[in-house]
Amino acid sequence: MAQLSIAMAAETRIPGTKNVARRLRASGRVPAVLYGEQKDALPISLDPKLLLAVVHSEGGHNRILNLTISGGETTSAVLQDWLVDPVSDKLLHVDLKRIDLAKKLRVKVAVHGVGEAPGVKVQGGILEFVVREVDVECLPLDIPDLINVDVSELVIGKNIRVRDLVVDSKVTVLTSQD
């Protein structure tokens, strides 16, 4: 449940044209912008390999990054948005949002089915997830990677609703309970 934060080094950069961003990517860095918490936006560059590992990890877009920015500033942030080249699958740009570890966040968390439903295996039904992620509110260090739901009791005609999900008491589910 309580996820580990990932340390990452960031370098400040001078914002510029597309050519500046292309040269930055060619040098092995990805351009990014850090904003939020009533501070000015800060253009930075990051290691794309570390970022891709975070994006592709379980609960990746909710992972907390501890950024050490050249110049001495240290801040916590989460991935807000990222742009990937559809052909080469390389990161083109990243938006990061500063967070306060003492303030609650609203995030989306994936719902994952665990087990085999007898309604599918024995009765020939189809297991359909209407909701694949739910909105939750909690402190950043309490964000679950995903919410597991046991489907081993599902037969044809039965269902599981959001209100049936088992979550930690520190997490408030905001998605409609039905």
Side-chain angles (χ1 to χ4, degrees):
M1 167 67 110
Q3 58 181 333
L4 297 174
S5 55
I6 297 172
M8 195 172 292
E11 297 173 5
T12 56
R13 65 179 177 89
I14 298 170
T17 62
K18 288 182 184 180
N19 286 333
V20 173
R22 285 185 188 122
R23 279 189 230 112
L24 185 64
R25 286 186 210 102
S27 72
R29 305 289 287 177
V30 64
V33 176
L34 176 65
Y35 61 89
E37 288 295 311
Q38 286 78 40
K39 293 184 181 178
D40 291 336
L42 178 66
I44 58 175
S45 67
L46 299 162
D47 181 0
K49 291 177 186 173
L50 288 173
L51 280 171
L52 278 174
V54 170
V55 169
H56 294 306
S57 70
E58 198 172 84
H61 61 281
N62 291 331
R63 186 75 60 202
I64 297 169
L65 304 175
N66 283 331
L67 296 177
T68 304
I69 302 166
S70 59
E73 181 186 351
T74 302
T75 188
S76 297
V78 291
L79 287 170
Q80 190 68 26
D81 195 16
W82 57 92
L83 182 62
V84 177
D85 185 292
V87 177
S88 66
D89 202 36
K90 291 182 180 178
L91 272 175
L92 298 176
H93 190 271
V94 176
D95 288 338
L96 299 164
K97 183 178 175 185
R98 286 184 183 99
I99 59 170
D100 182 354
L101 297 178
K103 289 184 182 176
K104 289 187 175 187
L105 286 178
R106 290 181 176 207
V107 295
K108 292 185 181 295
V109 177
V111 177
H112 179 69
V114 177
E116 288 190 47
V120 174
K121 185 123 178 130
V122 177
Q123 297 174 318
I126 297 173
L127 179 63
E128 181 179 355
F129 277 87
V130 176
V131 175
R132 296 202 178 269
E133 59 186 16
V134 293
D135 293 321
V136 301
E137 182 178 57
C138 60
L139 291 174
L141 293 175
D142 295 329
I143 299 172
D145 288 335
L146 54 88
I147 297 173
N148 288 318
V149 57
D150 183 15
V151 297
S152 60
E153 300 294 322
L154 283 180
V155 293
I156 291 181
K158 279 195 141 189
N159 57 38
I160 296 174
R161 299 189 183 277
V162 172
R163 67 174 158 254
D164 301 327
L165 297 177
V166 178
V167 294
D168 192 331
S169 61
K170 299 175 185 175
V171 178
T172 304
V173 178
L174 302 174
T175 302
S176 170
Q177 299 295 303
D178 291 323

